[in-house]
Amino acid sequence: MDLRGRAFSSDYRLRVLLMLFHTTAGIMAEQEVENLSGLSTNPEKDIFVVRENGTTCLMAEFAAKFIVPYDVWASNYVDLITEQADISLTRGAEVKGRCGHNESELQVFWVDRAYALKMLFVKESHNASKGPEATWRLSKVQFVYDSLEKTHFKDAVSAGKHTANSHHLSALVTPAGKSYQCQAQQTISLASSDPQKTVTMILSAVHIQPFDIISDFVFSEEHKCPVDEREQLEETLPLILGLILGLVIVVTLAIYHIHHKMTANQVQIPRDQSQYKHMG
């Protein structure tokens, strides 16, 4: 019994040590993040990288702005009027993140943590006509803001921290193994804990990949959003039509030239019989 007790105690201690090791490793991996926004030529765009085990597991480039309604007292101090704060994600923000096989997360904090953005990504498989297909998407957005912060909020009523969450979100849907790219603006509505207030999140210049990054600091093949694809088609369509029109004109001129040359080489038979004596 004593040997069994010692063996059990040793095994228990080993399990506790392994749990502590995995917990510590997870914490260390979560802290392995980089803000590379200084490399961007767009002053409004931020670049965030999450790394685990020395390799890149999440990359995100985007510009974000939040339109936040809030109440202030009217001049009569009886009525309430609604003002609007425009809050942009600034460079030098603090960033945290974690990566998983089917779930990844990015957290960004700025202005002394008066503002915090959390984005949750999930990867999932579903059955299609061609067989099982895997995609990833942005499944949740949370924005925490402090209306006591004086840069963007002026004398807000019920000032303090509020949390705005997305509801049943399915955005940036992308085939697994690819990155999502979209230059056009995209809006996401967030329900605020401030009663009857909806925060609007505006994303632009987006390039994100939260899973399956093959090369360090390099995005995989891009999956463009429908708006960008349509704009690209609108830009290239006049060029294509111009090329087709030019080709039609060239072919028409070539046919006319060949026909004219063949007609000129034919022997003209005189219609006036008096001209026959001049022939031969």
Side-chain angles (χ1 to χ4, degrees):
M1 294 291 293
D2 186 48
L3 290 174
R4 289 183 179 178
R6 290 180 181 177
F8 176 80
S9 178
S10 177
D11 182 62
Y12 177 76
R13 285 198 298 269
L14 179 61
R15 290 183 180 182
V16 171
L17 287 172
L18 287 172
M19 289 177 62
L20 288 173
F21 172 78
H22 285 299
T23 302
T24 305
I27 293 173
M28 291 177 65
E30 183 179 351
Q31 294 177 344
E32 195 176 355
V33 294
E34 297 182 56
N35 185 337
L36 304 179
S37 302
L39 300 177
S40 174
T41 56
N42 183 348
E44 297 181 351
K45 186 168 70 172
D46 292 272
I47 304 175
F48 305 113
V49 176
V50 181
R51 292 165 58 81
E52 285 188 356
N53 301 321
T55 59
T56 304
C57 60
L58 185 154
M59 288 181 65
E61 298 181 12
F62 59 89
K65 183 171 73 172
F66 300 86
I67 301 175
V68 182
Y70 66 99
D71 291 332
V72 298
W73 289 114
S75 58
N76 58 12
Y77 291 97
V78 176
D79 300 320
L80 291 174
I81 58 176
T82 301
E83 297 287 350
Q84 178 178 290
D86 293 347
I87 304 166
S88 296
L89 177 59
T90 58
R91 289 192 170 184
E94 178 188 350
V95 57
K96 295 174 64 177
R98 62 179 178 85
C99 296
H101 182 67
N102 294 318
E103 188 174 291
S104 295
E105 185 178 275
L106 180 68
Q107 297 183 62
V108 186
F109 311 88
W110 67 102
V111 190
D112 296 324
R113 292 200 168 216
Y115 307 111
L117 169 65
K118 179 167 30 174
M119 305 172 74
L120 181 67
F121 305 92
V122 296
K123 184 170 69 171
E124 51 200 3
S125 298
H126 56 275
N127 292 323
S129 57
K130 299 179 181 179
E133 291 183 354
T135 59
W136 65 263
R137 61 185 173 90
L138 175 62
S139 64
K140 183 179 180 180
V141 170
Q142 183 182 83
F143 178 58
V144 179
Y145 59 97
D146 189 350
S147 55
L148 284 170
E149 197 273 316
K150 299 300 183 182
T151 305
H152 298 91
F153 295 92
K154 308 297 182 183
D155 302 320
V157 177
S158 302
K161 284 206 170 184
H162 297 282
T163 302
N165 289 296
S166 59
H167 184 65
H168 298 306
L169 181 63
S170 182
L172 319 186
V173 180
T174 304
K178 292 186 177 183
S179 62
Y180 177 89
Q181 188 175 51
C182 191
Q183 295 299 317
Q185 286 190 350
Q186 302 169 85
T187 60
I188 298 174
S189 296
L190 310 174
S192 176
S193 57
D194 192 1
Q196 299 181 340
K197 297 293 186 293
T198 298
V199 175
T200 301
M201 177 184 182
I202 302 175
L203 287 173
S204 60
V206 176
H207 199 177
I208 293 178
Q209 186 172 359
F211 303 101
D212 307 318
I213 296 178
I214 299 174
S215 300
D216 221 15
F217 297 105
V218 178
F219 285 107
S220 299
E221 179 187 352
E222 299 89 359
H223 171 76
K224 293 185 180 294
C225 63
V227 177
D228 279 10
E229 289 184 340
R230 184 167 60 249
E231 289 181 351
Q232 185 177 6
L233 179 61
E234 290 174 354
E235 290 175 357
T236 57
L237 189 59
L239 178 61
I240 294 173
L241 292 176
L243 290 174
I244 294 174
L245 180 60
L247 182 61
V248 170
I249 293 173
V250 170
V251 171
T252 303
L253 290 175
I255 293 174
Y256 173 78
H257 178 71
I258 294 171
H259 175 73
H260 180 72
K261 189 175 181 180
M262 292 177 64
T263 304
N265 290 336
Q266 290 179 353
V267 177
Q268 299 294 327
I269 300 176
R271 294 182 180 179
D272 188 354
Q273 294 184 2
S274 64
Q275 297 180 15
Y276 282 129
K277 61 181 179 179
H278 301 294
M279 297 181 63

